[in-house]
Amino acid sequence: MEVDKFAGESYGQIALKKIAPTDPNFRLFYAGWLGSGTEREVMAVRGQVYRRALSGPNRGRLRLPVSGTVRSVHVTAAEMRDWEATQ
């Protein structure tokens, strides 16, 4: 099974908890700080359900996004600090 690269990070764990319940093929695909300058207080995190390719070089891998399944949440720096303190 493909690994969700963002799911191992604090913001990924928080985002998945906020988005739950999700499809087993749901993967996070974007995370970025909102705002400008050096203030880093809110991060946007997005995910989507993917389906496995049935043919081609990516056969059997989660590569094809399922339309209409994008979910977005905001994760604050305070939430990340709290999560990391409990781990």
Side-chain angles (χ1 to χ4, degrees):
M1 173 174 255
E2 283 96 325
V3 176
D4 187 344
K5 295 175 185 176
F6 294 113
E9 303 295 330
S10 60
Y11 57 83
Q13 291 290 317
I14 296 164
L16 288 172
K17 192 177 277 190
K18 287 183 173 186
I19 292 172
T22 61
D23 184 279
N25 293 334
F26 185 88
R27 298 291 183 268
L28 299 174
F29 67 84
Y30 171 83
W33 290 105
L34 299 177
S36 60
T38 60
E39 293 294 320
R40 302 285 190 213
E41 289 299 319
V42 179
M43 180 178 276
V45 182
R46 291 186 197 113
Q48 185 170 15
V49 175
Y50 290 85
R51 72 173 181 83
R52 296 189 185 284
L54 299 177
S55 62
N58 290 315
R59 181 178 177 189
R61 295 183 181 169
L62 293 176
R63 293 289 194 256
L64 304 169
V66 177
S67 63
T69 62
V70 174
R71 305 274 311 266
S72 300
V73 294
H74 290 137
V75 178
T76 66
E79 289 174 318
M80 287 185 257
R81 284 189 296 271
D82 291 344
W83 185 88
E84 288 168 1
T86 62
Q87 299 304 308

